Amino acid sequence: RGGQKARNVPAEGGVLFTCARMLPTLVPWDDLRMIWLSVLNIMGATVNIAAHLKFVFIISLLLWSGALALFGTRNVVKWPVVFVLGVIILMELSMYVITRLLVHGFERCFYTSKARGLRYRMSTEPTTYDHWLKLGEELDRVKKLDTWRKDSKSDSRYNWSLIARLASQLNEHRNNDEPRKLLQVFAQCTRKNLGGIWKEKLYSVLYTGKTKDAVHGFADELQKSLDWLAKEAADNMSDKSLMHTIRFMTRVK
């Protein structure tokens, strides 16, 4: 066995020696050397460019400092600042003109002649609010925006179910002569931006500035209930209920 191991050693050594001799032919040493030389050349060129830029920067800084010292800061800086501001103003004016042209083109392409005529009449003809409102309502009908106004469930920006429920409760308690229950509903209606009905986007859809019929109906129910409490219910209330109503209305005010 010892002799067999001794005979295997030269064989393994021969394989390693053969691989070592074949290594120069397997690895592209010439290509690696060319790549390394290219990297060195690029690094040298980068250093030279940086040195030249540094020199140019120093010369520019010296010239700028000399101009400031010779002619004064105001005279040297004034015209570049005026030029930059003029370019900015010109760019903003150009953007405004382009935007207006795009809007005009959009209206020409997608607005009917009747809608364009109504918009023009709304901006030029009306001398009273009623006249302007009439033109706006007609424009809403032409652009079919009245369908959005009539459909209370078509907008998720407000809680239409809450508004409908409160309006129904106000109407029910008023018709049933129940002032105390009516005041309890009023307590819920005094919350700020109830159900999102005061969101600005709800009033920017229609040209008249109105919003959903459900919101207007809710406001009408509030007004009717207040009028009922102030004019009719007070005659049939007991002194205790009347004082309770007065305290509530004072707090709401």
Side-chain angles (χ1 to χ4, degrees):
R1 293 181 181 176
Q4 186 177 0
K5 289 184 179 180
R7 286 194 298 271
N8 291 336
V9 171
E12 295 176 356
V15 172
L16 294 175
F17 180 74
T18 303
C19 293
R21 292 183 60 185
M22 294 177 62
L23 185 61
T25 60
L26 296 176
V27 179
W29 295 106
D30 294 336
D31 295 340
L32 292 176
R33 185 170 60 84
M34 294 298 296
I35 293 173
W36 176 247
L37 291 176
S38 300
V39 171
L40 291 178
N41 291 332
I42 293 173
M43 293 177 62
T46 304
V47 172
N48 292 331
I49 293 173
H52 284 86
L53 290 177
K54 183 178 180 181
F55 178 75
V56 171
F57 175 75
I58 293 174
I59 295 299
S60 301
L61 184 61
L62 291 175
L63 291 175
W64 181 257
S65 301
L68 292 177
L70 183 62
F71 300 104
T73 304
R74 179 179 178 182
N75 295 327
V76 175
V77 177
K78 177 175 64 176
W79 295 112
V81 171
V82 170
F83 176 76
V84 172
L85 292 178
V87 170
I88 293 175
I89 294 173
L90 183 62
M91 291 177 60
E92 292 184 351
L93 182 61
S94 301
M95 292 177 63
Y96 172 77
V97 172
I98 292 173
T99 303
R100 294 303 304 170
L101 290 175
L102 290 175
V103 171
H104 184 70
F106 179 83
E107 292 179 350
R108 284 286 182 182
C109 294
F110 297 99
Y111 278 25
T112 62
S113 58
K114 186 175 182 180
R116 290 197 302 269
L118 287 172
R119 287 200 62 184
Y120 178 76
R121 291 175 60 189
M122 284 185 67
S123 60
T124 56
E125 286 187 8
T127 56
T128 62
Y129 174 75
D130 293 335
H131 186 196
W132 178 86
L133 183 62
K134 183 178 179 181
L135 292 175
E137 291 175 347
E138 186 177 356
L139 180 58
D140 289 337
R141 286 192 296 270
V142 170
K143 294 185 66 63
K144 298 181 180 180
L145 295 176
D146 53 342
T147 56
W148 175 87
R149 175 175 55 84
K150 295 176 182 178
D151 187 3
S152 61
K153 304 178 183 180
S154 62
D155 201 313
S156 60
R157 287 174 289 191
Y158 80 111
N159 192 344
W160 60 268
S161 60
L162 174 63
I163 299 304
R165 178 171 58 83
L166 291 176
S168 176
Q169 290 177 356
L170 289 172
N171 184 274
E172 178 183 356
H173 296 322
R174 187 178 69 253
N175 293 331
N176 294 336
D177 294 333
E178 298 173 338
R180 295 186 67 87
K181 292 183 178 180
L182 186 64
L183 290 175
Q184 292 176 1
V185 179
F186 259 111
Q188 302 179 45
C189 299
T190 55
R191 288 179 293 179
K192 185 178 181 180
N193 195 21
L194 177 68
I197 61 175
W198 292 113
K199 290 182 178 179
E200 294 182 4
K201 292 184 178 180
L202 288 176
Y203 298 86
S204 61
V205 177
L206 302 178
Y207 286 93
T208 57
K210 293 183 178 181
T211 184
K212 293 282 191 179
D213 286 346
V215 177
H216 290 290
F218 173 68
D220 292 339
E221 286 294 335
L222 284 175
Q223 182 180 359
K224 291 177 182 178
S225 299
L226 284 173
D227 293 339
W228 180 78
L229 286 172
K231 297 178 181 178
E232 299 181 12
D235 298 334
N236 301 322
M237 285 184 185
S238 62
D239 294 339
K240 184 177 180 180
S241 297
L242 183 59
M243 291 303 298
H244 177 73
T245 303
I246 293 173
R247 286 196 299 269
F248 175 81
M249 299 304 295
T250 304
R251 180 173 62 85
V252 172
K253 181 179 178 181

